[in-house]
């Protein structure tokens, strides 16, 4: 199985939709855990990377590639 290349700022689709009905999520933090934000209701969820990779269906659009150093300032 091929690993999908995802990054900070990407818009992704997960296997199951959010209870609000939206199925698109924006990746807003990456590390051992990944924080994603629902595009429908702006609810954010922090999940372990392994769970995220299992639930990832496809990448809808690539993000602008935010640099980690820019966020620290």
């Amino acid at each position: 199985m091929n690993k999908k290349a995802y990054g900070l700022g990407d818009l992704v689709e997960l296997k199951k939709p959010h209870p609000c009905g939206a199925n698109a999520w924006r990746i807003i933090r990456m590390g051992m855990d990944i924080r994603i934000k629902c595009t429908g209701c702006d609810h954010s969820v922090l999940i372990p990377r392994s769970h995220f990779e299992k639930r990832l269906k496809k990448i809808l659009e690539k993000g602008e590639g935010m640099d980690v150093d820019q966020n620290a300032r």
Side-chain angles (χ1 to χ4, degrees):
M1 187 171 167
N2 293 339
K3 270 194 148 182
K4 294 181 174 74
Y6 53 87
L8 193 61
D10 289 356
L11 190 66
V12 298
E13 181 179 343
L14 301 182
K15 291 180 181 176
K16 292 184 179 179
H18 190 248
C20 74
N23 201 17
W25 298 81
R26 178 82 54 194
I27 299 174
I28 57 175
R29 178 184 178 271
M30 290 186 65
M32 285 299 292
D33 297 324
I34 295 181
R35 184 172 298 275
I36 53 178
K37 183 182 271 193
C38 177
T39 58
C41 65
D42 286 338
H43 180 79
S44 67
V45 180
L46 184 67
I47 58 175
R49 184 181 288 262
S50 59
H51 292 164
F52 175 78
E53 289 175 351
K54 289 177 188 174
R55 291 178 172 95
L56 180 62
K57 186 174 182 179
K58 65 181 174 181
I59 299 169
L60 300 174
E61 76 179 38
K62 287 301 227 179
E64 58 277 351
M66 291 184 272
D67 189 16
V68 176
D69 294 334
Q70 291 175 350
N71 292 335
R73 293 180 190 170

